[in-house]
Amino acid sequence: MAEPRSVVVETQDLAKMYGDGDAIVALDGVNLRICAGEFVAVMGPSGSGKSTLLNLLGALDRPSHGVCRVAGQDLAHVRDLDRFRSKTVGFVFQLHNLIPTLTALENVEIPLQEERMTDAARRQRAMGLLGLVNLSDRMHFLPAQLSGGQRQRVAIARALANNPSLVLADEPTGNLDSKSTDEIMDLLKKLNREQGTTFIVVTHNPAVARAADRVVTLRDGRVLRDERIENVYLEDLREFKETALGHALVDGDIPSDLSALGLDKLAASIGQLLRTV
Ligand SMILES: Nc1ncnc2c1ncn2[C@@H]1O[C@H](COP(=O)(O)OP(=O)(O)OP(=O)(O)O)[C@@H](O)[C@H]1O
Ligand SMILES: [Mg+2]
């Protein structure tokens, strides 16, 4: 039997309010459990609380109430939050906030400054990370000399510098064309598979979400859906459900031409299946 996977993220009744008298409810009782090695996409309309959730998980902000545990630590009781942010989580944002006056290599070295390692070892590790994101030939370039996709790859290498348990990415492909988007997603999936890094990626892009093994959809600060994409046919079934024949089968109306072929039982089973998707 497979080993049970460790839980990397656990939230209980997580809530965040803003404004006078907590007028704005950004998150409203979110319960999530995410295991090591999962690749989770977070979707939902603008203002549904996606970034707020990421900010709480990364300890960039504090919840109004509820519990948030990351890598076994209750964030309310973490003494050294700076250390937590630099050791346990890696952040990738849409605006990659690379330091413009530093080269790609120097940007990736920043999170390693606190590590007790020699300058040579630090450089070696940063070079290895840039190799991982396929940018060995650009390591001495400044951010302004890189394309948007290349800059995002530097940001990903930087996020991985300290071997974080969890990478939080807020629309990491938001400002990229579809080719660069595919490249970044392929890279994140590769890192997820090969390094076992856990990813939580906020996205509006269904193509990006399709790369995930689980999609959490927020609406008005609540989890509207939490789906594991184990069945690759799920989306196809949903599409079929919305057709005239799909609607009929869901309602248990077996079209006469199917009956004539003796397919009543099969049609009824498909109807039953469609009611569950
Ligand atoms: N610092 C803040 N002060 C007041 N309200 C805030 C603050 N940050 C977020 N909100 C509100 O909380 C709600 C959730 O915002 P959040 O940024 O999490 O949404 P989102 O799902 O990331 O949206 P988008 O897809 O547009 O990025 C919104 O109504 C927003 O206006
Ligand atoms: Mg957002």
Side-chain angles (χ1 to χ4, degrees), residues 116-165:
R116 270 197 222 124
M117 48 167 66
T118 62
D119 287 353
R122 187 175 300 120
R123 182 130 298 200
Q124 202 65 36
R125 170 135 182 88
M127 284 165 74
L129 288 158
L130 283 172
L132 205 61
V133 299
N134 224 351
L135 279 178
S136 297
D137 59 344
R138 293 287 189 277
M139 62 185 163
H140 300 302
F141 281 47
L142 293 170
Q145 298 167 321
L146 298 170
S147 72
Q150 290 169 339
R151 262 178 273 178
Q152 199 60 311
R153 270 146 57 197
V154 176
I156 291 167
R158 187 185 56 181
L160 294 169
N162 282 317
N163 264 328
S165 313

Side-chain angles (χ1 to χ4, degrees), residues 47 49-52 170-171 202 204:
K50 305 179 298 294
S51 296
T52 304
D170 200 346
E171 305 199 37
V202 167
H204 281 113

Side-chain angles (χ1 to χ4, degrees), residues 101-256:
T101 51
L102 299 182
T103 64
L105 188 62
E106 289 162 345
N107 267 286
V108 177
E109 283 181 353
I110 292 174
L112 297 168
Q113 297 301 347
E114 287 169 30
E115 296 288 318
R116 270 197 222 124
M117 48 167 66
T118 62
D119 287 353
R122 187 175 300 120
R123 182 130 298 200
Q124 202 65 36
R125 170 135 182 88
M127 284 165 74
L129 288 158
L130 283 172
L132 205 61
V133 299
N134 224 351
L135 279 178
S136 297
D137 59 344
R138 293 287 189 277
M139 62 185 163
H140 300 302
F141 281 47
L142 293 170
Q145 298 167 321
L146 298 170
S147 72
Q150 290 169 339
R151 262 178 273 178
Q152 199 60 311
R153 270 146 57 197
V154 176
I156 291 167
R158 187 185 56 181
L160 294 169
N162 282 317
N163 264 328
S165 313
L166 176 66
V167 172
L168 300 169
D170 200 346
E171 305 199 37
T173 60
N175 50 358
L176 301 179
D177 61 30
S178 66
K179 184 166 167 280
S180 309
T181 295
D182 289 346
E183 279 170 14
I184 294 291
M185 288 315 294
D186 287 347
L187 171 65
L188 297 185
K189 285 297 288 178
K190 182 179 118 181
L191 296 169
N192 171 250
R193 257 193 330 268
E194 294 176 3
Q195 323 264 319
T197 313
T198 311
F199 281 90
I200 304 181
V201 179
V202 167
T203 182
H204 281 113
N205 185 344
V208 170
R210 269 199 284 281
D213 3 274
R214 180 173 168 192
V215 180
V216 172
T217 308
L218 297 183
R219 172 150 331 147
D220 298 332
R222 291 170 177 263
V223 176
L224 177 71
R225 279 195 300 268
D226 183 352
E227 304 168 300
R228 272 164 224 284
I229 317 291
E230 276 154 345
N231 184 346
V232 290
Y233 301 114
L234 201 60
E235 282 308 315
D236 293 341
L237 281 172
R238 287 208 178 112
E239 236 168 76
F240 176 56
K241 186 181 181 179
E242 297 311 320
T243 63
L245 177 57
H247 280 299
L249 294 176
V250 165
D251 293 340
D253 298 333
I254 315 277
S256 53

